[in-house]
Amino acid sequence: MTWERVRKAADKLTTPLLPDDYLTLLNPLWSSRELRGRVEKVIPETEDAATLVIRPGWGWKYQHRPGQFVGIGVQVGGKYQWRSYSVSSPPVKSGRTLAITVRAMPEGMLSEHLVRGLQPGTIVRLATPAGDFVLPDPPPAKSLFLVGGSGITPVMSMLRTLDRRRTMGDVTLHYSSTTPERMIFRAELLEMHERHPGLVLHEQHTDTDGIFSWDGLDHLVPDWRERETWACGPAPMLDAVERHWEAADLSDSLHIERFSLAFTGDGGEGGTISFQNSSKSIEADGATTVLEAGEQAGVGMPYGCRVGICHTCTVTKISGTVRDLRNGAEFDQPNEQVQTCVTVPVGPCVLNI
Amino acid sequence: MAIADVAQYAHLTDDEVEQLGREFDAIRTEIEESRGAKDAAYINRVITAQRWLAAGGRIGMIASSPLDKKLRRPALVASTVALGLAKILENMEIGHNVMHGQWDWMNDPEIHSSTWEWDTGQPAEQWKHSHNYIHHQFTNVLGYDNDIGYGVLRMAREQKWSPANLGQPVYNALLAGLFQWGVALHDLDLEAIRKGKKDPKEMKRQLKQIAKKGRNQILKDYIVYPALSGKEWRGTMRANATANLMRNVWSYLIIFCGHFPDGALHFTEDELTDESRAEWYLRQILGTANFEGGPLLHLMSGNLGYQIEHHLYPDLPSNRYAEIAPRVKALCDKYGIPYTTGPLHRQYGQVLRVITKLSLPNRMTKDDKPPTGVDVTVDSGRKPDQQRQVRRTELGGWSRSAS
């Protein structure tokens, strides 16, 4: 009998709960009901960035591909807030922990909390690794990484993998940051360069050197056209890189990771609501509730009281923002349960129905 | 007596009713904005305590089975009580309240109305329909709210008497003892089945769901755990039956004290016509009764001693009802609305009196519910709004989960 089958049989003892619901009384990681992890260490990297070393609980497969991100849910003020961060540790099958590196953003409530307020021992929720900004296996013979600020984190996972597997090859890293002190992983990168002469590191300290002009790339990396390229950083930088590669007709060899969401622009109320499972969508103004809009679109929306009492109409919002008409509260988290009868869309949103 | 227009009954002008609605909304907003880490810690603490109690009770029964009789008996009694309390806590303070969406704001999928399944015969999905929607939306409206007597008891003078009602005191005792199974059948809507109005396909689906849930519950309490206790299986079986009985009688008692003591009023269908949110608030207060007690009593009854507050704000965290109660009472005093409350034994005494009296035809008994007299029943005099969306009356199917 396998462990899984033992747990399945134990269901009969704990129904309607799962055995895991009782096992978490003994160890909070002994549950695969929701992926979870315990923060083991918070390692300061620069004055505003820290690496969180997390020990995942049951059900976690150490199989992220270098460059992917994970979702992390942290309880702040009693409420789980979710964000995605690149995994900075290399994938190790026998590993016990994974690491994410976070920079506290101005006005970023959660990143601020993760860097400065998180105590070791805290239990967090995790979501499976995702993203296609990844390093292929085997890696290309010649590669180029273009990094701005905390965009280094997915790239670090790739470089560490290359280092671990001794497949570094011919790698150029162009790393922009305001000052050397704010460069996350600077010491480790320099040390990695010592061991692998094939790894060339260009530092761009934008406070003193100014922002890198991509026209200078021919001079800095003459063979950039032959290199498979990964770029991660702030949106203006990525836009410039994208244009530069497009102009050279090399978009195919460029991989881009945008870690900041593009805002919809107008910020006004109303928007297009897409119903994922029924592949319908409808334009709704700021006074039409999500429920009414769904009904107009011909979606079989669940509903009950229609005044926000009974929670029958609750549906998972996959993305986008809705506003509660009763108090103006905005719900902008991905995969959030929303009461459709009292909320209106704020910009485009996608519902799981 | 049944009320057709609560605002008129409560002698309030339209403006006053709207003002009252705004004041109740303000309380809701304040609580919603102050929900935080302390509330989250509370529900997690209750859940942890409940699971330890349940595990302790279950393990105690098995572990005590090889002991000799002198030690076994007290261990078995203690385990029974632990399990009974665990079941009560799970059904009342945890299951009922989580399924109301009181903790959905935490965004924790493990403590969420959409995923919670409770330790009783009724499937959560059917409960959310029969209770959250039917009962909380149509509270005490005759012909709509099946909680008025659960389809077996005559609880309002407006309900037609039949000779079968003579057996009410007996049905009542049976309902108390078998409450979890009465609740399990609740969303089937016995009334609709009797009248042949129930969709047979829907009924079959619901019955299948109930059978599956019920089978697991019975298997656990009466086969698996007794089997694990070896030759003392009888003791464990009895202990589990006792724990279930404790839970059944207690939850029955608490629920009946919420809407049937004197002072909790019934309403006619007319009240639903064009009812505003403020009038809905009013109906919740007039149709509901609190009972008094200490913090432990309130915890074990899922804070349903604050039934009025629960009906005003069914999805606010139960641990906050105690602090809302004095404010609700002050508002009731300000607007001259009755706020029904009393000690638990008195409230239940009144329930028993209603059940017994209404087992007889109306002409043989007198109405205890104040204020009495036919002249208090008022017609709303408002025309139904033809533009109004058709109210859904079918049961169950629409709340089906995707699986």
Side-chain angles (χ1 to χ4, degrees):
Chain A
M1 246 187 172
T2 64
W3 177 230
E4 283 306 308
R5 281 171 69 186
V6 172
R7 273 164 70 204
K8 188 108 188 107
D11 270 3
K12 292 285 171 237
L13 296 173
T14 56
T15 182
L17 294 177
L18 298 174
D20 295 8
D21 293 323
Y22 289 94
L23 289 170
T24 49
L25 296 175
L26 303 174
N27 182 334
L29 295 184
W30 289 354
S31 171
S32 58
R33 218 179 115 145
E34 295 287 323
L35 290 175
R36 64 192 74 208
R38 182 173 53 223
V39 177
E40 303 277 80
K41 270 187 283 186
V42 181
I43 306 165
E45 296 285 354
T46 64
E47 63 172 21
D48 60 352
T51 293
L52 311 180
V53 179
I54 297 168
R55 176 169 189 167
W58 288 356
W60 184 265
K61 312 240 186 330
Y62 293 85
Q63 285 175 342
H64 71 270
R65 297 174 63 196
Q68 284 191 310
F69 54 85
V70 290
I72 174 168
V74 185
Q75 222 170 4
V76 184
K79 187 178 171 178
Y80 275 97
Q81 308 269 0
W82 284 83
R83 293 290 185 281
S84 291
Y85 291 103
S86 298
V87 181
S88 51
S89 55
V92 184
K93 283 222 174 69
S94 58
R96 313 280 303 224
T97 57
L98 85 152
I100 59 171
T101 304
V102 180
R103 166 160 284 165
M105 296 298 195
E107 291 167 45
M109 184 190 74
L110 195 70
S111 60
E112 181 73 30
H113 177 75
L114 289 174
V115 172
R116 304 190 208 283
L118 205 60
Q119 295 302 316
T122 307
I123 300 296
V124 297
R125 294 286 165 78
L126 298 171
T128 44
D132 45 19
F133 185 74
V134 292
L135 192 68
D137 189 20
K142 294 174 95 174
S143 48
L144 169 62
F145 295 96
L146 306 172
V147 166
S150 56
I152 187 67
T153 52
V155 170
M156 201 61 204
S157 177
M158 298 183 191
L159 293 177
R160 282 171 175 166
T161 305
L162 292 174
D163 179 29
R164 237 188 93 80
R165 294 183 185 159
R166 299 173 200 283
T167 50
M168 191 60 89
D170 182 354
V171 178
T172 301
L173 169 63
H174 180 77
Y175 189 176
S176 296
S177 183
T178 46
T179 62
E181 291 73 41
R182 274 180 51 92
M183 273 191 168
I184 306 172
F185 303 129
R186 183 165 183 263
E188 188 181 340
L189 286 167
L190 290 172
E191 184 261 341
M192 215 184 258
H193 168 66
E194 294 289 309
R195 281 186 287 119
H196 301 281
L199 170 65
V200 178
L201 177 63
H202 297 298
E203 289 184 45
Q204 179 90 6
H205 306 140
T206 54
D207 271 2
T208 49
D209 311 348
I211 287 173
F212 184 72
S213 161
W214 296 104
D215 298 330
L217 194 62
D218 280 331
H219 173 69
L220 195 68
V221 190
D223 60 353
W224 65 272
R225 288 179 181 81
E226 298 158 30
R227 291 174 180 268
E228 193 83 8
T229 304
W230 282 265
C232 185
M237 170 197 149
L238 295 180
D239 292 342
V241 169
E242 213 162 28
R243 279 195 301 273
H244 198 72
W245 258 250
E246 228 163 75
D249 203 14
L250 287 167
S251 294
D252 283 351
S253 59
L254 176 67
H255 310 271
I256 276 193
E257 176 89 319
R258 292 178 186 273
F259 53 78
S260 59
L261 280 175
F263 287 102
T264 44
D266 62 356
E269 295 189 351
T272 308
I273 309 173
S274 312
F275 303 89
Q276 185 179 257
N277 301 348
S278 39
S279 32
K280 285 176 178 157
S281 65
I282 190 166
E283 193 73 37
D285 62 28
T288 310
T289 63
V290 176
L291 174 61
E292 285 165 351
E295 288 173 336
Q296 280 167 27
V299 178
M301 303 289 286
Y303 73 91
C305 65
R306 304 185 77 101
V307 286
I309 302 159
C310 74
H311 288 257
T312 306
C313 64
T314 300
V315 162
T316 307
K317 169 179 61 67
I318 295 169
S319 63
T321 302
V322 296
R323 180 176 297 149
D324 193 322
L325 284 173
R326 297 174 295 182
N327 50 19
E330 292 203 349
F331 297 89
D332 55 1
Q333 304 282 310
N335 291 324
E336 205 170 14
Q337 307 280 340
V338 295
Q339 282 177 274
T340 59
C341 72
V342 289
T343 50
V344 293
V346 182
C349 49
V350 181
L351 296 180
N352 183 24
I353 182 165
Chain B
M1 183 203 65
I3 312 282
D5 185 333
V6 283
Q8 208 168 334
Y9 166 74
H11 316 293
L12 297 172
T13 65
D14 287 355
D15 284 349
E16 282 170 330
V17 173
E18 286 315 305
Q19 174 63 26
L20 174 89
R22 279 194 292 276
E23 298 208 39
F24 280 124
D25 279 339
I27 297 179
R28 161 182 278 278
T29 308
E30 201 186 308
I31 298 294
E32 276 177 343
E33 281 168 2
S34 63
R35 286 181 303 210
K38 264 169 81 178
D39 302 282
Y42 168 81
I43 191 64
N44 279 295
R45 210 161 53 232
V46 174
I47 290 175
T48 303
Q50 186 271 334
R51 289 184 183 164
W52 275 117
L53 265 177
R58 300 285 192 192
I59 293 168
M61 288 178 205
I62 297 169
S64 66
S65 56
L67 303 178
D68 69 71
K69 206 167 175 187
K70 246 167 114 184
L71 285 168
R72 200 178 75 231
R73 280 210 67 108
L76 195 60
V77 169
S79 305
T80 310
V81 171
L83 183 62
L85 293 178
K87 281 183 182 261
I88 287 172
L89 261 183
E90 202 282 337
N91 285 185
M92 309 296 287
E93 178 66 349
I94 305 172
H96 167 263
N97 293 339
V98 169
M99 286 190 292
H100 260 298
Q102 294 186 1
W103 303 100
D104 286 5
W105 61 274
M106 296 195 302
N107 197 25
D108 182 345
E110 290 183 27
I111 310 175
H112 198 278
S113 62
S114 60
T115 57
W116 195 269
E117 189 57 82
W118 57 345
D119 185 11
T120 181
Q122 189 181 39
E125 179 199 312
Q126 293 187 28
W127 168 261
K128 282 184 275 184
H129 177 257
S130 64
H131 182 80
N132 291 10
Y133 175 46
I134 299 286
H135 171 61
H136 274 270
Q137 176 71 356
F138 305 121
T139 312
N140 281 25
V141 176
L142 294 160
Y144 283 81
D145 182 2
N146 292 322
D147 279 30
I148 309 179
Y150 285 79
V152 274
L153 297 176
R154 179 172 176 254
M155 296 302 291
R157 300 182 80 82
E158 290 77 6
Q159 291 172 318
K160 228 177 107 191
W161 180 85
S162 88
N165 293 125
L166 287 170
Q168 288 214 139
V170 180
Y171 311 154
N172 178 52
L174 284 172
L175 184 61
L178 297 168
F179 197 59
Q180 72 157 323
W181 302 112
V183 171
L185 302 177
H186 192 38
D187 198 35
L188 288 172
D189 195 358
L190 301 179
E191 193 85 20
I193 295 173
R194 265 207 300 272
K195 290 178 179 158
K197 280 184 184 165
K198 181 87 184 178
D199 173 15
K201 233 173 93 185
E202 181 54 27
M203 185 160 86
K204 207 174 141 197
R205 189 191 73 83
Q206 287 186 318
L207 279 171
K208 237 165 98 178
Q209 206 180 27
I210 296 166
K212 189 176 163 207
K213 175 92 192 276
R215 192 182 58 217
N216 281 333
Q217 291 292 107
I218 291 173
L219 200 68
K220 169 179 73 169
D221 281 339
Y222 300 110
I223 310 239
V224 180
Y225 279 106
L228 288 174
S229 313
K231 65 179 188 352
E232 293 302 330
W233 60 273
R234 268 196 207 87
T236 298
M237 198 184 261
R238 252 201 313 272
N240 288 345
T242 311
N244 276 325
L245 184 70
M246 272 171 73
R247 184 270 319 273
N248 284 355
V249 172
W250 182 251
S251 44
Y252 151 87
L253 182 81
I254 298 305
I255 286 167
F256 270 65
C257 285
H259 295 290
F260 307 119
D262 300 351
L265 306 173
H266 294 116
F267 307 90
T268 65
E269 201 175 342
D270 292 343
E271 166 55 25
L272 295 174
T273 311
D274 291 332
E275 183 177 59
S276 68
R277 185 166 171 80
E279 289 170 329
W280 178 85
Y281 277 137
L282 258 180
R283 174 157 58 84
Q284 299 307 321
I285 300 173
L286 294 173
T288 308
N290 280 8
F291 61 78
E292 296 154 353
L296 186 65
L297 178 65
H298 284 304
L299 171 69
M300 295 315 288
S301 50
N303 280 299
L304 292 182
Y306 300 108
Q307 187 81 239
I308 296 174
E309 289 72 22
H310 172 58
H311 263 267
L312 289 169
Y313 311 111
D315 56 358
L316 290 187
S318 58
N319 62 324
R320 308 295 286 274
Y321 288 155
E323 72 177 79
I324 303 173
R327 302 175 60 183
V328 170
K329 178 137 195 324
L331 278 180
C332 287
D333 290 346
K334 179 175 162 192
Y335 288 93
I337 306 162
Y339 182 93
T340 309
T341 187
L344 185 58
H345 60 88
R346 196 180 78 203
Q347 304 299 84
Y348 187 63
Q350 293 174 350
V351 172
L352 272 185
R353 187 169 63 185
V354 172
I355 294 171
T356 319
K357 273 194 174 183
L358 294 188
S359 65
L360 298 170
N362 280 355
R363 62 188 147 80
M364 297 172 70
T365 59
K366 259 176 48 195
D367 193 356
D368 301 300
K369 298 202 173 201
T372 53
V374 280
D375 47 321
V376 183
T377 304
V378 285
D379 292 322
S380 71
R382 281 182 293 184
K383 290 191 186 80
D385 181 3
Q386 299 303 330
Q387 300 304 310
R388 193 165 53 98
Q389 181 143 14
V390 178
R391 203 176 281 278
R392 294 187 70 141
T393 51
E394 74 271 34
L395 299 176
W398 55 274
S399 69
R400 187 171 316 160
S401 51
S403 61

